[in-house]
Amino acid sequence: MQKLLFLFTAEYPYGKGETFLETEIDYLASSFEQIILVVTENVEGKEMRGILDNCQVKALDLSVSNFDKVKAIKFQFSSIYKEEKKIIEEIYSKPFTKGIRNTMLLSLFKGERVKNYISNLKNLDYSTTVFYSYWCNDAALGLALSSAANNGINAISRIHGWDVYFEASAIDYLPYRHFISKHLRGIYAISEDGVNYTKNTWKLPNDSNVKLSRLGVKKQELKSSKSPIRVVSCSNLIKLKRVDLLIEALGLITDLEIQWTHFGDGIEMHVIKSLADELPANISVELIGRVANQEVLDWYRKYSPTLFVNVSSTEGVPVSIMEAISFGIPVLATNVGGNGEIVNEKNGCLIDRNSTSEALSKKLHELLSMSEEEMDSLRNGALSMWNDHYSANTNYVEFVALLKNRDSTS
């Protein structure tokens, strides 16, 4: 039986990010005797959330200094670097740019830190230990490097959105996907689209170890409410989330009284505030900012939103949408990434990624003007989608079984 789990996160349990781990950790903690949460970002000044009794937190800050960047140059002579360069040019058919080169060097530098961290662990029984990177990032590369050096290591990674899609990166590339896939026991995508993308764009072999393992949320309760009309969105305020497009669309609706609430913060907050201030009087706005996940769920429970909206230009499968359908909230979302796996005509509406504000406004108006009978049908469809595909009790129990079965990649 596996007793010890090393879970590599970005900042969890610090700060307010990676909220989706708050549900998964309960299932992990009930199945492993001890969990070591290895935090890989600088979390100085961030408050730590409460953790379960059998969890410990360790810091492994992978931030790099300018001197580190100089030291990383040495990795251009490694066989892993040379093989990756060949994959980029011959398999991906991409030009070997300065941005790609620098990303490759820094990723190897950080991956070596993770490898060294693992090699320095004392009195570790690899036969009862699992290493799990929540993101397919430099921590996952470090686990792959460790596994390549010691094939007794039982290591896996999830892949979500930004760590799947090349186009979500400024350089249209994510490093060492072939190496990571080769040396980890399994890579678990949260969407079918993610699985297919690894085959078609990462160009992994047909027998690759990328498998589907959806995230999940717990069932909630929502009172049916058509009045007042409440539209809710929940995301970081960054360009790819395109909250400005939602504001433009809302501004074109003049015959409905709508209350719009957004949860989340980010570098675009000042822009979003300015645009929201220009909305007509029939659209009331509440920009709540970043709050604890439980506060979002409590708000849903208290105010019974009419519609959840996500208009991102790229996504995996947003946990925010999973949470919405667990309450029976219909969803309007862009048809990108795995959104088409969770949103359909039975629980809301998908719109094209390139839809204009006018087209989005038209769909919003259509959904918000539905009869109570039609809206109830969408609410029931949302709950059915949650029950069939995104139940935490189903998905995480299955995932934990995969984690603990070192002979399985199915």
Side-chain angles (χ1 to χ4, degrees):
M1 181 182 89
Q2 275 77 22
K3 298 180 179 180
L4 178 60
L5 173 67
F6 283 84
L7 173 54
F8 291 77
T9 71
E11 66 174 24
Y12 182 86
Y14 290 91
K16 295 178 180 177
E18 295 171 307
T19 54
F20 18 87
L21 261 170
E22 293 176 6
T23 299
E24 182 174 335
I25 197 71
D26 289 341
Y27 294 87
L28 296 172
S30 66
S31 300
F32 287 87
E33 291 184 13
Q34 185 179 17
I35 297 177
I36 308 297
L37 294 163
V38 185
V39 180
T40 58
E41 290 186 359
N42 185 343
V43 293
E44 184 178 355
K46 292 187 177 181
E47 184 177 351
M48 189 173 84
R49 285 165 272 183
I51 57 174
L52 298 169
D53 290 341
N54 62 336
C55 295
Q56 296 180 28
V57 181
K58 301 292 184 181
L60 179 61
D61 186 0
L62 297 183
S63 303
V64 294
S65 65
N66 287 331
F67 184 56
D68 290 332
K69 293 177 182 178
V70 174
K71 291 193 293 184
I73 294 173
K74 67 180 181 182
F75 287 105
Q76 67 184 308
F77 302 109
S78 73
S79 59
I80 297 170
Y81 175 92
K82 292 175 181 177
E83 179 62 26
E84 180 72 359
K85 184 175 184 292
K86 184 177 179 181
I87 289 171
I88 291 166
E89 294 175 336
E90 297 183 9
I91 296 181
Y92 295 160
S93 299
K94 291 181 179 294
F96 190 69
T97 64
K98 180 180 178 180
I100 288 178
R101 181 203 67 192
N102 291 346
T103 295
M104 288 170 57
L105 292 172
L106 287 177
S107 287
L108 273 179
F109 183 85
K110 295 178 183 180
E112 281 290 322
R113 279 187 178 173
V114 175
K115 177 187 173 185
N116 291 338
Y117 172 85
I118 293 172
S119 65
N120 288 329
L121 294 170
K122 304 299 183 184
N123 303 317
L124 197 64
D125 182 356
Y126 287 122
S127 68
T128 60
T129 303
V130 179
F131 295 90
Y132 166 22
S133 179
Y134 195 70
W135 306 96
C136 195
N137 54 9
D138 297 328
L141 175 58
L143 296 186
L145 291 168
S146 298
S147 179
N150 178 358
N151 62 14
I153 289 178
N154 182 10
I156 67 102
S157 175
R158 280 199 187 272
I159 51 175
H160 300 255
W162 67 264
D163 53 353
V164 178
Y165 303 105
F166 283 4
E167 56 268 26
S169 162
I171 57 173
D172 194 32
Y173 163 76
L174 297 169
Y176 301 104
R177 266 39 197 162
H178 281 238
F179 183 85
I180 293 171
S181 174
K182 179 180 179 180
H183 291 288
L184 294 189
R185 176 172 64 82
I187 296 178
Y188 296 97
I190 68 168
S191 69
E192 287 279 9
D193 190 74
V195 174
N196 295 331
Y197 190 94
T198 64
K199 295 175 182 177
N200 298 326
T201 304
W202 291 12
K203 300 186 185 299
L204 297 180
N206 290 331
D207 60 349
S208 74
N209 59 354
V210 180
K211 308 295 180 182
L212 176 66
S213 181
R214 301 186 193 276
L215 301 182
V217 296
K218 296 176 181 177
K219 184 180 181 181
Q220 307 292 337
E221 297 295 334
L222 180 71
K223 297 178 296 182
S224 297
S225 175
K226 192 70 166 47
S227 180
I229 297 173
R230 295 187 186 274
V231 172
V232 64
S233 51
C234 181
S235 71
N236 292 326
L237 292 178
I238 54 179
K239 286 189 180 297
L240 68 83
K241 297 299 181 180
R242 301 196 302 180
V243 177
D244 56 329
L245 179 65
L246 173 57
I247 293 175
E248 290 176 18
L250 287 170
L252 297 174
I253 299 175
T254 58
D255 61 336
L256 297 175
E257 296 289 331
I258 299 173
Q259 298 181 13
W260 170 52
T261 300
H262 181 83
F263 292 93
D265 203 348
I267 59 175
E268 293 286 301
M269 175 59 93
H270 66 288
V271 175
I272 297 304
K273 280 184 175 179
S274 296
L275 293 173
D277 286 343
E278 300 300 318
L279 284 170
N282 63 303
I283 312 292
S284 62
V285 177
E286 187 177 24
L287 301 176
I288 291 181
R290 187 183 296 274
V291 298
N293 183 243
Q294 189 58 50
E295 290 185 45
V296 178
L297 303 183
D298 288 344
W299 189 93
Y300 290 171
R301 195 173 293 109
K302 180 177 180 180
Y303 291 106
S304 304
T306 311
L307 183 70
F308 183 93
V309 180
N310 176 301
V311 290
S312 296
S313 59
T314 180
E315 281 289 1
V317 178
V319 173
S320 59
I321 294 182
M322 298 179 206
E323 290 173 341
I325 65 170
S326 75
F327 279 91
I329 303 170
V331 178
L332 170 61
T334 39
N335 191 10
V336 296
N339 280 358
E341 298 169 36
I342 191 170
V343 181
N344 57 38
E345 70 282 355
K346 294 181 180 180
N347 63 4
C349 178
L350 285 172
I351 61 167
D352 187 79
R353 174 189 179 185
N354 299 316
S355 290
T356 63
S357 57
E358 289 80 7
L360 175 58
S361 182
K362 182 179 179 180
K363 283 296 181 182
L364 277 169
H365 193 280
E366 179 181 317
L367 288 167
L368 298 175
S369 301
M370 281 185 169
S371 68
E372 189 66 17
E373 182 180 2
E374 291 171 318
M375 193 60 73
D376 277 341
S377 177
L378 293 182
R379 293 182 185 119
N380 290 332
L383 287 172
S384 293
M385 175 62 75
W386 168 83
N387 184 64
D388 292 344
H389 297 292
Y390 297 99
S391 165
N393 203 44
T394 298
N395 294 355
Y396 290 137
V397 168
E398 291 177 354
F399 179 66
V400 168
L402 291 172
L403 269 181
K404 299 178 74 172
N405 180 7
R406 65 185 300 125
D407 297 322
S408 172
T409 59
S410 60

